[in-house]
């Protein structure tokens, strides 16, 4: 027996080594792929933020706004229990919610006083312009971004624009972005208005529950208050405020 046993170990050992090496190189490949994928994701997000910033720069707004809104959206989506991959798509799609502002005239976009009815109509057009810019892509993130651009000013009670959609007719990503966008607008300092205290902004969102906003989205937002305020603090872009409207 002993000799036979010894003879049996040799080839097995060699095979074992080959298998171990194959597994090791497969593992290395998987790790490398994951790293590359993470890098691609980072590049995508960086590119998206830069493109979205082009639209924001035409408004008297800051680039930090799109970062906060995207992170608020992702936080709400996670609280709602949406799948991880969907939450990540939303993080990538939400920065483009106002890309349609690229098609709105400066005179309207940066007007210091209240808008006339005609100007308001032009301003409201940023939703359909944004959707037109993003239209026709096979990429799921851009398809989601198109839906957000089109629907983030729709209201739960049907009184929003551009389509007057109500309740569940509004895509969920649009319903989430609506809450995030309004909260950020309320709590951001602008050249023409001070920032509102968080307490008051949260109560305004709560008051809009079932009227302006999806009740479940509001509940998820309120439940995530701590995370929302952490994001707000980490991305307070006040140093980037534009000096004037024009």
């Amino acid at each position: 027996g002993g000799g036979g046993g010894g003879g049996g170990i040799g080839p097995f050992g060699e095979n074992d080594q080959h298998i171990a090496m194959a597994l090791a190189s497969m593992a290395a490949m998987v790790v490398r792929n994951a790293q590359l994928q993470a890098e691609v994701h980072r590049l995508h997000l960086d590119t998206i933020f830069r493109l979205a910033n082009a639209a924001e720069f035409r408004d008297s707004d800051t680039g930090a706004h799109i970062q906060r809104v995207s992170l608020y959206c992702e936080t709400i989506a996670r609280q709602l229990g949406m799948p991880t991959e969907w939450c990540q798509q939303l993080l990538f799609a939400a920065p483009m919610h106002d890309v349609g502002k690229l098609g709105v005239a400066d005179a309207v976009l940066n007007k210091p006083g209240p808008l006339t009815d005609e100007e308001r109509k032009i301003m409201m057009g940023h939703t359909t312009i944004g959707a037109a810019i993003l239209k026709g892509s096979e990429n799921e993130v851009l398809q989601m971004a198109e839906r957000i651009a089109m629907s983030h000013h729709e209201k739960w009670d049907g009184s929003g624009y551009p389509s007057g959609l109500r309740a569940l007719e509004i895509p969920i990503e649009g319903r989430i972005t609506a809450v995030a966008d309004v909260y950020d607008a309320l709590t951001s300092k602008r050249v023409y208005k001070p920032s509102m205290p968080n307490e008051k902004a949260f109560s305004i969102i709560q008051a809009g529950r079932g009227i302006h906003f999806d009740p479940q989205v509001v509940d998820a937002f309120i439940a995530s208050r701590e995370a929302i305020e952490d994001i707000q603090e980490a991305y307070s872009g006040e140093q980037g405020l534009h000096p004037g409207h024009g």
Side-chain angles (χ1 to χ4, degrees), residues 72-83:
Y72 293 163
C73 285
E74 188 209 19
T75 303
I76 295 166
R78 274 191 282 127
Q79 182 67 35
L80 282 167
M82 301 301 281

Side-chain angles (χ1 to χ4, degrees), residues 24-46:
S25 70
M26 271 170 66
M29 221 162 63
V30 167
V31 169
R32 184 76 192 114
N33 280 348
Q35 286 170 338
L36 285 172
Q37 215 177 353
E39 183 57 27
V40 166
H41 277 158
R42 268 200 302 278
L43 284 171
H44 279 174
L45 200 50
D46 189 42

Side-chain angles (χ1 to χ4, degrees), residues 19-207:
I19 291 166
M21 281 173 71
L23 284 174
S25 70
M26 271 170 66
M29 221 162 63
V30 167
V31 169
R32 184 76 192 114
N33 280 348
Q35 286 170 338
L36 285 172
Q37 215 177 353
E39 183 57 27
V40 166
H41 277 158
R42 268 200 302 278
L43 284 171
H44 279 174
L45 200 50
D46 189 42
T47 306
I48 287 163
F49 277 143
R50 284 165 193 274
L51 290 174
N53 257 331
E56 293 301 331
F57 267 117
R58 301 201 52 245
D59 200 352
S60 53
D61 213 331
T62 72
H65 163 73
I66 56 169
Q67 292 177 309
R68 287 192 303 267
V69 169
S70 306
L71 290 163
Y72 293 163
C73 285
E74 188 209 19
T75 303
I76 295 166
R78 274 191 282 127
Q79 182 67 35
L80 282 167
M82 301 301 281
T84 306
E85 195 183 338
W86 194 91
C87 294
Q88 187 172 48
Q89 283 182 349
L90 181 60
L91 178 71
F92 286 10
M96 294 178 271
H97 65 281
D98 276 341
V99 79
K101 285 181 178 176
L102 287 169
V104 176
D106 272 332
V108 173
L109 210 53
N110 295 320
K111 187 181 175 185
L115 301 178
T116 64
D117 286 349
E118 193 49 45
E119 288 166 339
R120 184 159 297 284
K121 208 179 290 177
I122 292 167
M123 186 64 193
M124 284 160 71
H126 83 275
T127 51
T128 46
I129 293 168
I133 289 171
L134 296 162
K135 194 173 190 244
S137 173
E138 286 177 22
N139 180 286
E140 284 183 6
V141 171
L142 290 176
Q143 288 171 3
M144 183 186 275
E146 180 193 348
R147 294 192 295 272
I148 291 173
M150 192 70 164
S151 67
H152 70 287
H153 283 287
E154 298 289 356
K155 294 185 181 179
W156 186 255
D157 68 0
S159 67
Y161 67 86
S163 309
L165 301 178
R166 46 189 311 277
L168 301 178
E169 292 170 356
I170 308 163
I172 179 66
E173 50 270 54
R175 285 180 265 144
I176 291 171
T177 307
V179 171
D181 193 31
V182 170
Y183 178 76
D184 197 67
L186 293 172
T187 53
S188 295
K189 182 179 165 194
R190 294 285 179 269
V191 283
Y192 51 87
K193 75 166 188 71
S195 60
M196 177 185 286
N198 291 358
E199 194 57 53
K200 192 173 179 196
F202 272 97
S203 62
I204 286 175
I205 300 286
Q206 182 71 57

